[in-house]
Amino acid sequence: MKFKPTLILSAATLALGITSGAQAGTLEDVQKRGSLNCVVSTGVPGFAYTDESGEWHGFDVDFCRATAAAVLGDAKKIKAVTSTGKTRFTLLNSAEGDVLWRNTTITFSRDVGVKLRFHGVNYYDGQGFLVSKDLGVNSAKELDGASVCIQTGTTTELNLADYFFANGMKYEAVPIETNDEGRQNYLAGRCDVYTTDASGLAATRSTFTDPANHIILPEIISKEPLGPATRHGDDQWSDIVTWVYYATVTAEEKGVTQANVDEMKSSKDPEILRLLGVEGNQGEELGLPADWAYQIIKQVGNYGEIFDRNIGPNTPIGLERGLNALWTEGGLQYSPPFR
Amino acid sequence: MNDNAATPKQEHEPGTHPNWPAPILTSGPIAWMRDNLFSSPFNVILTLLALWVLWIIIPPIINWVFIEAIWSATDRKDCWAQMSEPEAGACWAFIQSRLSLFIYGFYPEAERWRVNLCFVMLILFLLPILWDKCPGRKYLLWYCIAFPFIAGWLLIGGFGLTPVPTNEFGGIMLTFIIGVTGIFFSLPIGVALALGRISNMPALSTICVIFIEFIRGVPLIALLFVASTMLNYFLPPGTTFDLLMRVLIMVTLFSAAYIAEVVRGGLQAMPRGQYEAADALGLTYWQSARLIILPQALKISIPGIVNTFIGLYKDTTLVIIIGMLDPLGIGRAALADAEWAGLAREVYLFIAVFFFLCCFGMSRYSLYLEKKLHTGH
Ligand SMILES: N[C@@H](CCC(=O)N[C@@H](CS)C(=O)NCC(=O)O)C(=O)O
């Protein structure tokens, strides 16, 4: 019995030794650590993925970077904590992550039951169905008896059950953990249909050899407002995440881009001046440097730029702005004023 | 074919018959095939069927893996453009472009020499352990005991090196860290638990039984989840107790419990006479354990122990559940890159080969060890 006590002892000392005892707010924790931990997905094309050098990219990751730019002044100082549909909230609630940017739908039970704070909708989505053209199906109503690949622990799992029940149809669920697994199963013919957020479907389809042979059915069966989340109990941190998102939207609305943000500092529009920290003390009120939003735009870009770079029409994902256009252009992206 | 009909004439004087090789039909490959592959009509059919199946399967695989494979390309489209038709061959260029990610995870590039150094040290560590005729083995074994700690310090950034947070560890390196640490620490702990369990001190054996049965009753994935999330609820708020450390402890305890049971099997399989003989010689408990009981019991348990190690090694992929990126996790995140996405087969094959080599190596070594130590009772 020589080894066990020593191991447990050393574990205990380690546990106690590293205990700071500080119950600092998330902001202080992040600043002390010097990096921001974001809960992201295990990999969805266009939303979160790694490149050759191991850098994370994607729509979700860029918002994580925007948060880091605001809080730490450096968009590079992020750490991605990957999570499946089932583990994401536990990872957030157990403080493995500071903020969750992971195509996550805002729902009542997650907001209230799981005790999360949501901070606006950075992507308006809805659940769709991806099928092979060979199946000869043109509408979701014809899917009676189909086998459906469905990610466990997601809203889409529940929507699917509701939809098929409401339409008096049967299906065979093929449960999967990650998007990649769904893709493999679908391509291997393990399921006739892959269902998840339409954005995810488009992203996944873009990786097929023959994307043209697969269609996304016209029915969108749910509302999937995707947005960032944080834990309960840290209002300052919640405000920061909320306004990081709004800053990207306001910047787009006001025409502030990565390229012209320096010129915009001498703009005549008082709201731009407040946004960029030239006037007023909004940064200070958030507990951030005055140029927090300037850093976001400078290092990451405004909402439109983030969208176009990762998932827009000129990327392999090729999503249209649709509902995610600015409200001034008929979409739903709308930021409260910076006042 | 022993029945050589009636021998015709005597060609050689008695005692002068030269040593001819056995007839070609009773030795060599042909005989082997006749005995093993074509010994009955049924076997002939099976053999032909098997050959046919291999003929169908193997050439396309070889074609895909080697002949049509592309080793350098800028992205998926480029890769496919170089083949006779898309997906006709493997696009190993993808693996190549991600190789450092697969090996080092997110370990900072400038510091990767530390990981390389650890890989070299790992070989030095395995050498004296696996090869008992290794020169200077006695001294090297001391190094072996120190190795996990030195390597740990080196990777985290002791010795005045730039600290690297453990959440940047990943890939094959992470698999090795968890695998080696788990194997290294779980064996002694497991042996201790096994001895404790059969000890005749009731308190000790009860504690060991409870521990072993508790751990064996819970799946590893649950323990990992506890390690990553629940622990934070129990520890004082604000505590940050390194996640990798927690995982290492859980994995070690988990496999220790299994090792304990395997070793207990070995202990019980030994004839009682061995225990009695040790007592009769007047050896103390520790002497008899060290000199008589454990060497024999461990020898019997080798297959089970290695089995546990292989299981442990493969279980390291479960860490993806708690957000750590082992090669599988790295692969998934890389597969979502639209430039390359769609090359899942390559990624999974690569990872499978990696795990197969490691596990096959372990199991071969255990066979060798069993043979070498087989002295029979
Ligand atoms: N929006 C839904 C579903 C989100 C979801 O999990 N989508 C999948 C498919 S696009 C995904 O992101 N998977 C990421 C992964 O596999 O890690 C939810 O919040 O429950």
Side-chain angles (χ1 to χ4, degrees), chain A residues 40-45 47-48 60 82-86 88-89 100 102-107 110 118 125 127 151-157 159 176-182 194-204 222-227, chain B residues 332:
Chain A
V40 299
S41 64
T42 61
V44 174
F47 285 85
D60 285 341
T82 60
S83 68
T84 64
K86 276 189 293 201
R88 54 186 145 174
F89 303 127
L100 174 137
R102 183 207 178 278
N103 32 22
T104 290
T105 307
I106 306 171
T107 68
R110 287 173 179 177
F118 284 100
D125 211 338
Q127 181 174 353
Q151 206 167 341
T152 52
T154 65
T155 48
T156 49
E157 196 179 9
N159 299 333
I176 49 147
E177 278 302 322
T178 65
N179 190 46
D180 183 49
E181 211 179 309
Y194 182 31
T195 181
T196 184
D197 302 341
S199 64
L201 291 181
T204 308
S222 70
K223 289 184 290 187
E224 306 284 339
L226 311 181
Chain B
R332 268 185 201 142

Side-chain angles (χ1 to χ4, degrees), chain A residues 160-225:
Chain A
L160 180 73
D162 287 357
Y163 182 77
F164 274 70
F165 179 76
N167 286 292
M169 302 191 296
K170 283 200 180 50
Y171 67 98
E172 184 209 333
V174 179
I176 49 147
E177 278 302 322
T178 65
N179 190 46
D180 183 49
E181 211 179 309
R183 179 184 176 283
Q184 303 306 333
N185 278 300
Y186 172 76
L187 284 181
R190 179 75 187 79
C191 47
D192 308 320
V193 187
Y194 182 31
T195 181
T196 184
D197 302 341
S199 64
L201 291 181
T204 308
R205 184 174 61 169
S206 74
T207 71
F208 293 175
T209 334
D210 53 344
N213 280 340
H214 301 266
I215 49 170
I216 296 174
L217 297 178
E219 287 85 355
I220 295 294
I221 64 166
S222 70
K223 289 184 290 187
E224 306 284 339

Side-chain angles (χ1 to χ4, degrees), chain A residues 47 59-60 63 120-126 197-200 224-227 245 248-250 252-253 302-308 311-313 318-335:
Chain A
F47 285 85
F59 186 76
D60 285 341
F63 276 101
V121 182
N122 72 336
Y123 192 96
Y124 287 92
D125 211 338
D197 302 341
S199 64
E224 306 284 339
L226 311 181
Y245 157 61
T248 64
V249 177
T250 300
E252 182 180 16
E253 189 182 325
N302 67 33
Y303 183 89
E305 289 175 300
I306 295 177
F307 191 102
D308 290 339
I311 50 181
L319 290 167
E320 295 294 331
R321 283 292 286 270
L323 286 178
N324 294 295
L326 291 179
W327 65 287
T328 48
E329 285 157 24
L332 292 173
Q333 289 297 342
Y334 181 105
S335 159

Side-chain angles (χ1 to χ4, degrees), chain B residues 162-289:
Chain B
T162 334
V164 177
T166 55
N167 58 15
E168 292 181 1
F169 292 14
I172 288 177
M173 155 194 176
L174 184 67
T175 305
F176 275 148
I177 292 177
I178 302 177
V180 171
T181 315
I183 290 174
F184 185 85
F185 289 101
S186 68
L187 187 60
I189 300 177
V191 170
L193 281 172
L195 286 176
R197 181 164 187 170
I198 62 161
S199 122
N200 31 25
M201 283 184 264
L204 183 62
S205 83
T206 318
I207 293 178
C208 291
V209 170
I210 293 178
F211 177 83
I212 293 172
E213 295 305 330
F214 172 73
I215 299 270
R216 289 210 309 157
V218 181
L220 178 59
I221 214 158
L223 286 179
L224 287 178
F225 222 77
V226 168
S228 105
T229 57
M230 303 293 286
L231 229 52
N232 278 1
Y233 292 121
F234 299 138
L235 294 172
T239 312
T240 45
F241 175 17
D242 192 82
L243 179 61
L244 180 61
M245 192 68 196
R246 285 180 263 162
V247 168
L248 290 178
I249 292 175
M250 283 303 181
V251 168
T252 305
L253 295 182
F254 184 78
S255 86
Y258 280 85
I259 296 277
E261 285 303 275
V262 171
V263 172
R264 183 169 69 98
L267 290 170
Q268 286 175 344
M270 270 174 45
R272 279 248 35 96
Q274 296 287 326
Y275 291 87
E276 285 159 6
D279 288 345
L281 284 174
L283 298 181
T284 65
Y285 176 75
W286 290 110
Q287 280 173 329
S288 81

